[in-house]
Amino acid sequence: MTKVDLKTMAHLKGKSKLFFSLIVLASTIKQAQANSKTVFENSLFKESITNQQQLQGKVVDSDGKPVAGVTIAVKGTSKSTQSDASGNFSLEAKSGEVLVATSIGFKAKEVTVTGSNVSIRMEADQSQLDEVVVVGYGTQKLKEVTSSVAHVSADQFRQSGARNPLDLIQGKVAGLQVSRSGSNPNSGVATQLRGAISVTGSASPLFVIDGIPGGNPDLLQQDDIESVDVLKDGSGAAIYGTSANAGVILITTKRGKPGKAKFNYSNYLRKEYVYNRPDFLTPQEFRDKIASGEIKQPDFGHSTDFFDDLINKDNFSQNHNLSMSGGNESTTYRGSVNFRNLEGIAKENSRKEYTVRTSINQKGFNDRLNVLLNMATNTNNANLLGGGGWESEVTKNPTLSNFNDDGSYRYDRTSTNEFARLFTETSYRKQQTSSLDGKADLDIMEGLKASVFGSVQRNSYIDGAYRALDSEASLEDQDYPGGGYASKSNLLNERYAFEPTLQYNTKIADKHGLTALAGYSYRYEKEEGQSADNRGFINDNFHEDNLSEGQALRDGRANMDSYKNDNTLIAFFGRINYTFSDKYMAQFILRREGSSKFGANNKWGSFPAVSVGWNISNEDFMKDVDFINNLKLRAGYGETGNTGFANNASRLTLGGGGKYLFPDETYRETYGPDRNPNPNLRWETKKETNIGVDFTMFNNKLSGSIDVFQRKTVDLLDTYTTPQPPYIRNNIYSNVGTLSSKGIELALSYRAIDHDNFKWNMDFTASTLKNVLDSYSNDVFTVKYKTFGSIGGAGALGDAFTTYEGQRVGQFFGKRFAGFDDDGKWLFYNRDGEAVRNDEINNSRDDLNSSDLAVLGNAVPKYYVSWTNNFSYKNFDLRIFMRGKFDYDILNTTALSYGNKVWSGNLLRDAFTKYKDIDDTYMYSDYYLESGSHLKIDEVTVGYRFKLKNESWINNLRAYLTVQNLATITGYSGNDPDFVLDAGLGNEVNGQSLGIDSRGPYPNTRSFLFGLNFSF
């Protein structure tokens, strides 16, 4: 040791300082003797410019404005830091070392240290043409992409406490609809990309998480996600073949970066309040209506708000995420631990989760080998008991009580005491989901790289439920009255994937770029489970943990079931990308795929795609067009498939026919065919054409894209009626129909203001869509129309939608309201435009020439828009996110059932105003159709980034407050129109149907969320 860091000595105290000084002294004397010099004092105290020094620096942009949050690292070491709000930073470095500065939105910059002060000027990369987006089995620069791909980075995510990754990008991707039925923490989301694509097949997009096909979103926490990329059209999604009809969503998680160890902690705390509850009579209003004779019901003398009794007013949700990352040029790592406890607005409705995620990246073989390992596991406990019963409770006579006079729960056989059920029953799910994946890349030679990827996913859960002896379900059971009920079931799902690929990149004559990818894919999935239930328990000691104690098992009346199935998919695929002079691009894809799900005559299918691009702005004739920075034209065609149907749908299977008494006086189970075989069963195929334009204008202030698409799904899968004979059963699962959609999508980003202290950026998306059921018949099977959307409730009113061949999806079909007669009876228009009573209406759907029924409206929004405004003033930031759906209709079934005074329980206030003229039975017509158009102020976030001292152990600290569902501007009189499903054809998804506002939805809430993020 010949030189001394005086700052190091200055920070030492006591004996440590003395000991350090003695070492320095001895080292200095030894050096002096070796050089025959007597310069002890100079050697000890004089600091050389080549020695380690505390470097002071500042980061600015091309206009000289400070840039915060830039990562500055000493190349080849683990030392790094970040610039503060003023662009300043300090870092230990010595002369000759190279600093590397990186930040989103700027090009990486390298600066050599020559003194104790340095200024780094970052060059903006606002055109983002060099930004890398994730595509199937690789990445591409944005400027080279020829298909329709939407990229959403972490800084664009919603900040309202997502449970599902799709919540983060709701309203952020033009053409992608994400619908949730409410704020229930245990509910899923319904998704639809560019319209409905199937009748009975899977409508869910393919999730690819860090390369895992069919990855489980439950393993993801919002703070672990780096970006989400959506392959919207067939020319990009074809690389995934029969899994990609509904689109592909590629999720990339965060990785460690070279530099010193970095810790990040983030959390949020959320409180929810009921917003826009159903407008029913209060107990006193109900009592007044009884007194006035407007309601002919008994007054039981109580005043009970049954709806309010189900509300969890003490709800409090929280999320905590701690991550650590770091490494050097050869090894990087990242690990995170997450705890999340979500409580619903309903009592006994919650979800508690623990997640651990690790990622290790190791280079070797002279940096020619790169190995990446990821592991994640999630354990969650869900309380499934609460969250329902809203319709039953809000429509009860409010002069009743949940309790008898002696304090016991009040039960009757005409309804369920949903409040009592929360304290006399249990229902839960204990679930564990894990995944392990690894990828190894080897650079064989220049431009040639071999990769191998493998993954294992395991999802298992146990469901348990118990109904106590004093529960209503037990007391009213006819077979074992007063005996407890217990059930238990489990599921195990395992997925395996193995995908080796070979990729070659080359540049020819500096103008021709070629990238070729070839690969093989093997996927295997198996699922098994079992369930059992029993009744007649004589005590509540065992709950569902000792099923054999129930009397029903001894009597041979308990239930037990088990199952197991699997499927295999293999594929060969290739992709070629060609570029010429950064002006002209082309992409070719072919995937050849086989699946065990297909019929014997259709085991294999091919999925081709081609797309081209033209960077018009790189042409010579565009050099003088100053207001256009970049302009690219894209066009593509691709085919994808859908295999989202049962594993054995094409095969002849056997099923139990029941137990019968044989001649030997023994009961035996009988078996027989329960499915018609279909050796011609194949996948649904979607054929899609897309034309798009990407642009940046006005000195890169405005950027965006426009896409026009047309797609057609052929060989739709559904069940069709078959004659007996020759068929064994009366129905068969087959490919018959055709479904099409077309639309336009627009995405814009605009930097409105960019001053030193104040910035305003905005993002805007819009889309329009038309969906048509082209045909539902062929030479073998003929179906004129399909009905969807069960109305439910009183009156047995059937389905709301009748979709004929060649007609738009989501068409409400029924009677046209013409008023009421003097007696309050319904009048409807017949086909001649005359107002007639209901018994004179021709309800035929088979003969439209004589039918009085007609198209009433459409449940599919014609227009979708979203608008995000981001403001920043000094250390404050503000985000306002709005989205809306326009030009569509909703069937208000709450009004249909409870705006009619024929109902014997509580009624809507509108029953005595808006619907006061009705003196007739329940009826479905356009009388109950309302415009669902609305604009929602969905999220408002205010944040503050604290200015920290350079020597602070905290690098970054930000606090924020978010209000979700602040306001909804709409003329719709029912529940929140945003929670009414706008996807599909009308078949039920997660308990919802397209365009039908159910009578008992999970309550709409407004939430307040406080969050904190900091790193150290």
Side-chain angles (χ1 to χ4, degrees), residues 596-630:
S596 61
K597 288 186 176 183
F598 303 155
N601 299 333
N602 286 299
K603 286 297 183 185
W604 288 86
S606 298
F607 302 91
V610 59
S611 57
V612 295
W614 177 23
N615 277 323
I616 302 173
S617 53
N618 288 348
E619 297 287 357
D620 291 339
F621 61 79
M622 292 291 293
K623 289 183 178 179
D624 296 329
V625 184
D626 296 333
F627 70 94
I628 295 180
N629 303 106
N630 295 285

Side-chain angles (χ1 to χ4, degrees), residues 485-500:
Y485 167 87
S487 67
K488 208 163 191 176
S489 62
N490 60 63
L491 173 141
L492 173 63
N493 177 277
E494 294 178 317
R495 296 181 178 183
Y496 303 87
F498 175 70
E499 297 181 327

